[in-house]
Amino acid sequence: MTRIDDALAVTLNGLAAEDALVVAFSGGLDSTVLLHAAWRWSQTHRRRLRAMHINHQLQPAAADFQQQAEQICRALPIDCQSIKVKVIDEGEGIEAAARKARYHALAEHTQPDECIVLAHHADDQIETFLLQLFRGAGLKGLSAMPTEQIKLQRLFLRPLLTLSRAELEQYATEHQLRWIDDPTNADLRFRRNWLRQQLLPMLRQHYPGIDQALARVVEHCQQAQSLIDELAESDLAAVQRTEKTLSISRLLSLSAARQSALLRYWLSEQQQRVPNQQRLQDFLAQLSNATDRTECCYDGICLRVAGDALLQVPENWFRPIAEQHWQTDTPLFLESIQSTLQWRGMNNPEQPLRVSSLPSMSTKLSLAGESHRRTLKYLMQQLAVPVWLRAAWPCVWHGEQLLTLPGLLVTAEGERFLAEHQGEIILTGPIADCWQALQTPDALS
């Protein structure tokens, strides 16, 4: 048994008997050592094991690397699935964009009973810590990489974090392994490469024990972050209204530091990115005088307000609906709000219905069972529908008669029409889910 075998045993022996392993396999030294050691472990413990190679298509040799990785797997033999991804840099840098595409591909092409095993080692951990330090990260960033992590609804494992690259090289030599040397690892334009090849050698020359010292710092950061998460988890139980919403008044009763920690924890638990510290602080400062127009939008996510409720929704869910006609014998998918209208009933209308965004807020309506007419604005206010949700709610018409805002209200004309056709109109999707979350009674009230 080598130290690498021992490290794998510490992480993998605790898995459930039905769990299988998927090794993220680039074909480089680190993942080749991991794959070989994991294969040995799987043989002893009779576990399913396969490899997955992510082809980022970022260099001319990418196809050759994929072929070599597949050859290495066949020699063991281990099944290897190669996935090509398209890396889109949205301003975070090509390294971060490639990492994002890689993690999504790994999660998308694995099953819930498969654990994804990554080859990060102690040197990678130190590099990650320094990169986070230089960008001014908080404790969570300085905690670098955890051994176990739930991400994108998959379990990611890093069993080699306590081992140095030198130990991996020794293992590869002893077992006569062959691997791929990626020339981009020598490209100093990438910050991690510069740090690895220029900064760290200088630091080690002047501070011989710096690797061990930085490893201790990472461990201290992880312990401190764990304590913060435990407190945030306790606060969340007291502040959460429903599964998807927080109480703003109870959130504001906490200290500023606990407010920030709670929001970060809440978003992380929902597998969402967290806004930077300044944006988060500015948003929290606005909450004491919040209206339903108060929001914090970043990276495609919006934190939105509805009365005392705070919830997070994708930014692009709530867009105006292009007017269209609907033959009710088939469901109508509304792409702009990622929602579906469905007719349920005995008799489908012969003529298509019309679907649109809300008319003018001054439009007057008579609701089902009522004779008097009230403005749409008044009705929205009475229902406490936040402004940001109103703008995207679909309206269903028969000719010039407004029948219903499905899930919100039915007009007097709509009641007659639906009764005549013995039907109802159902809205499903994120709009309806969001409204349901706001209507669910506060669990702590």
Side-chain angles (χ1 to χ4, degrees):
M1 291 279 288
T2 67
R3 272 176 47 82
I4 290 176
D5 295 320
D6 290 340
L8 256 68
V10 168
T11 303
L12 303 183
N13 285 355
L15 297 177
E18 63 273 15
D19 287 341
L21 303 181
V22 176
V23 173
F25 184 57
S26 68
L29 168 68
D30 307 342
S31 62
T32 298
V33 168
L34 174 64
L35 183 66
H36 185 270
W39 172 73
R40 282 159 44 108
W41 182 89
S42 69
Q43 295 295 298
T44 302
H45 294 81
R46 297 184 179 181
R47 295 294 187 90
R48 290 179 291 129
L49 169 71
R50 64 188 182 97
M52 189 178 296
H53 177 82
I54 306 301
N55 183 346
H56 300 90
Q57 306 184 88
L58 291 176
Q59 55 178 309
D64 291 337
F65 292 163
Q66 176 180 323
Q67 185 177 24
Q68 291 177 57
E70 292 168 352
Q71 289 174 351
I72 293 171
C73 289
R74 281 196 296 269
L76 279 172
I78 295 172
D79 289 339
C80 181
Q81 180 183 11
S82 293
I83 306 295
K84 291 182 179 179
V85 297
K86 186 175 183 181
V87 177
I88 301 174
D89 184 357
E90 298 177 334
E92 70 267 52
I94 196 65
E95 293 172 284
R99 182 167 54 253
K100 179 179 178 181
R102 180 166 61 253
Y103 276 95
H104 276 84
L106 289 166
E108 181 181 351
H109 294 279
T110 50
Q111 299 301 315
D113 65 344
E114 292 182 313
C115 304
I116 302 167
V117 193
L118 307 174
H120 298 117
H121 49 73
D123 296 46
D124 295 322
Q125 186 79 307
I126 291 170
E127 293 163 9
T128 300
F129 169 81
L130 289 174
L131 288 169
Q132 293 287 354
L133 178 67
F134 296 155
R135 60 182 287 270
L139 264 180
K140 195 171 186 68
L142 296 177
S143 297
M145 297 177 287
T147 303
E148 297 184 7
Q149 179 181 31
I150 299 293
K151 188 182 182 74
L152 302 172
Q153 299 182 325
R154 292 292 182 268
L155 175 60
F156 288 81
L157 302 173
R158 299 180 178 89
L160 306 181
L161 284 179
T162 59
L163 303 169
S164 67
R165 178 180 170 84
E167 289 177 282
L168 271 60
E169 290 175 341
Q170 181 181 350
Y171 179 99
T173 300
E174 290 174 353
H175 291 86
Q176 299 181 330
L177 303 181
R178 58 187 183 91
W179 61 88
I180 300 167
D181 283 318
D182 185 347
T184 62
N185 288 335
D187 190 341
L188 297 182
R189 289 176 298 175
F190 297 118
R191 292 176 182 173
R192 187 177 288 271
N193 290 345
W194 170 82
L195 192 151
R196 178 185 303 149
Q197 297 176 41
Q198 296 203 346
L199 179 60
L200 273 172
M202 285 196 307
L203 290 175
R204 286 168 180 145
Q205 181 179 356
H206 292 281
Y207 301 97
I210 193 169
D211 290 68
Q212 293 76 17
L214 292 181
R216 288 195 300 273
V217 173
V218 170
E219 185 176 355
H220 294 328
C221 290
Q222 290 176 342
Q223 290 176 351
Q225 184 61 50
S226 179
L227 289 174
I228 291 173
D229 287 344
E230 286 180 20
L231 178 60
E233 183 179 16
S234 175
D235 285 341
L236 180 60
V239 170
Q240 198 162 26
R241 295 177 68 256
T242 67
E243 182 182 355
K244 297 182 178 180
T245 64
L246 301 182
S247 164
I248 294 175
S249 58
R250 294 200 291 270
L251 174 65
L252 294 178
S253 71
L254 302 174
S255 68
R258 287 170 69 175
Q259 291 175 25
S260 178
L262 173 55
L263 280 187
R264 289 177 178 278
Y265 179 80
W266 179 57
L267 290 169
S268 296
E269 285 295 292
Q270 297 181 74
Q271 306 295 309
Q272 300 294 354
R273 295 187 64 178
V274 177
N276 63 46
Q277 183 68 12
Q278 187 60 56
R279 182 170 291 180
L280 192 60
Q281 288 177 345
D282 290 345
F283 178 65
L284 286 168
Q286 296 173 42
L287 286 184
S288 57
N289 296 302
T291 69
D292 57 8
R293 297 182 186 275
T294 304
E295 64 182 19
C296 176
C297 296
Y298 64 97
D299 295 339
I301 296 295
C302 271
L303 299 177
R304 294 192 183 273
V305 172
D308 187 50
L310 175 66
L311 68 166
Q312 65 84 17
V313 293
E315 186 175 11
N316 62 357
W317 269 1
F318 305 103
R319 293 178 291 166
I321 300 166
E323 184 171 312
Q324 53 197 293
H325 290 86
W326 174 31
Q327 293 285 358
T328 58
D329 53 343
T330 58
L332 176 65
F333 180 67
L334 302 171
E335 184 175 359
S336 63
I337 58 172
Q338 295 292 296
S339 298
T340 300
L341 287 172
Q342 184 176 2
W343 175 273
R344 291 181 186 171
M346 300 295 293
N347 305 312
N348 286 85
E350 293 182 2
Q351 299 299 319
L353 302 181
R354 181 164 59 90
V355 179
S356 73
S357 294
L358 288 182
S360 167
M361 285 290 111
S362 61
T363 301
K364 290 190 174 183
L365 306 173
S366 293
L367 297 187
E370 299 180 358
S371 58
H372 55 286
R373 296 164 66 84
R374 291 173 292 183
T375 65
L376 186 56
K377 180 178 181 180
Y378 175 84
L379 294 171
M380 292 292 102
Q381 290 174 339
Q382 289 299 106
L383 289 169
V385 182
V387 171
W388 51 267
L389 192 55
R390 299 176 200 174
W393 206 282
C395 297
V396 182
W397 306 71
H398 179 240
E400 295 304 312
Q401 291 185 330
L402 178 58
L403 304 179
T404 179
L405 277 64
L408 280 184
L409 58 84
V410 177
T411 65
E413 294 86 352
E415 183 182 41
R416 290 191 291 270
F417 182 88
L418 294 172
E420 177 185 344
H421 292 84
Q422 297 180 284
E424 62 177 332
I425 296 171
I426 306 297
L427 176 68
T428 57
I431 294 284
D433 292 345
C434 183
W435 179 240
Q436 181 62 37
L438 294 175
Q439 295 305 294
T440 303
D442 188 336
L444 296 179
S445 293

